[in-house]
Amino acid sequence: MGEIDGVRALLTGRPRPVGWPARRARIEEVAAVDAPPADIVFTPTSIGGVAAEWSAAPGVDAARVLLFLHGGGYCSGSIVSHRTMASRAGAAAGMRALALAYRLAPEHPYPAALEDARAALAALLAQGFAPADIAVGGDSAGGGLSLALMVAQRDAGLPLPGCAWLASPWVDLAMTGASMDAKDGVDPLIHRGYLAELSAAYRGGVAADDPRVSPLHADLRGLPPVLVQVGSAETLLDDAVRIAGRLGAADVPVRLEVWPHMIHAWPLWSARLAEGRRALASAGAFLRARGIPEAATTA
């Protein structure tokens, strides 16, 4: 059995949980099944009034930071569930990672998560981090939130991070991508009915195609360089492909990586998945270079 089949078995070995507490417990169980590297140091903190956690691998540049926004459909996911992914991404990028425990729906619908992300970014800037030394990124809903954060910053005339990393991003809460149905039979995690429930819980009274919650429909001009990574076996494949196209059409430097046979948010299982480690290495190189192509940095 291949490595990705082992991850599939981990995810499908038990019935899907019902109810928010059970779902939140389940994502921590399956996503945190592998411990982070032993040499990474973790430090609980608070940033902008929001609980968070620093992670630092040996030798990283403490003057640079990855603000990591976890996935989980805005309704689950946590520092615990994404600790390995966030810390390994920071290590690959040669910077510290700051994982944010933003407020979750349905208890805290939009704009709570966005407000928390904006507060954290403002606090980092107030602490003296240069905008170019801050990267923002995350998986799934965290990818969509990263993009919404940058759009909100730009609209407010506030500093933008130096670059962004969107892994398996959920950017269309109206779920209009063709892959939502075309890939339903091969995606072990994300299905239309489940996403519809998450979308309604997060949006509250906001329309599903409102660009504030679905940045696929936002004006994307003026954003910093973006890396988009997605697996070919994802129902959200079209979210990634379409957002990359719209970023490019808006003259935003963008790189799209489609990883064959990979499932939703596969870098979560990088400890047991070589393609997860390769994806994080690619993301790390992008973040380390601030999204500037290698040829441009050596010219």
Side-chain angles (χ1 to χ4, degrees):
M1 182 171 63
E3 290 178 333
I4 193 61
D5 295 319
V7 175
R8 285 177 173 276
L10 170 71
L11 299 174
T12 59
R14 291 171 52 187
R16 283 182 174 268
V18 177
W20 302 120
R23 288 173 175 174
R24 290 167 182 168
R26 177 63 172 161
I27 193 173
E28 290 195 354
E29 176 188 353
V30 298
V33 65
D34 298 308
D39 61 350
I40 295 180
V41 176
F42 296 91
T43 307
T45 190
S46 177
I47 184 85
V50 184
E53 183 179 75
W54 285 107
S55 63
V60 296
D61 184 353
R64 299 194 65 199
V65 57
L66 167 63
L67 177 59
F68 184 87
L69 306 174
H70 67 76
Y74 298 104
C75 296
S76 63
S78 67
I79 288 173
V80 173
S81 65
H82 285 67
R83 181 172 284 142
T84 296
M85 182 176 178
S87 61
R88 282 180 173 267
M95 62 184 73
R96 291 190 294 167
L98 180 65
L100 191 68
Y102 60 83
R103 288 171 291 170
L104 299 177
E107 297 92 337
H108 304 284
Y110 172 84
L114 180 58
E115 290 174 344
D116 289 351
R118 294 191 68 186
L121 180 55
L124 288 172
L125 292 166
Q127 290 177 13
F129 286 93
D133 289 334
I134 301 172
V136 64
D139 66 301
S140 196
L145 183 57
S146 297
L147 194 54
L149 168 62
M150 295 193 295
V151 170
Q153 288 290 110
R154 183 209 58 202
D155 288 350
L158 296 172
L160 290 165
C163 59
W165 163 49
L166 315 180
S168 302
W170 187 25
V171 294
D172 176 22
L173 272 62
M175 298 167 291
T176 60
S179 62
M180 186 61 59
D181 299 311
K183 294 290 183 177
D184 185 75
V186 294
D187 189 333
L189 274 175
I190 304 298
H191 305 282
R192 181 180 291 279
Y194 176 56
L195 282 186
E197 187 177 357
L198 297 175
S199 173
Y202 175 60
R203 292 186 288 107
V206 177
D209 60 356
D210 189 304
R212 295 172 296 174
V213 297
S214 290
L216 177 69
H217 307 291
D219 176 0
L220 302 171
R221 290 173 294 179
L223 299 187
V226 177
L227 169 65
V228 182
Q229 295 180 315
V230 68
S232 69
E234 299 196 40
T235 54
L236 290 182
L237 173 61
D238 276 352
D239 276 48
V241 172
R242 289 183 297 164
I243 197 61
R246 294 193 181 184
L247 284 163
D251 297 316
V252 176
V254 60
R255 188 170 89 207
L256 171 65
E257 297 178 357
V258 181
W259 290 72
H261 312 297
M262 291 299 105
I263 64 173
H264 185 66
W266 77 100
L268 276 167
W269 297 280
S270 59
R272 60 181 61 201
L273 193 58
E275 292 295 87
R277 295 190 292 277
R278 294 188 187 104
L280 289 181
S282 180
F286 180 91
L287 298 174
R288 190 186 296 263
R290 297 179 175 88
I292 302 170
E294 183 178 354
T297 63
T298 58

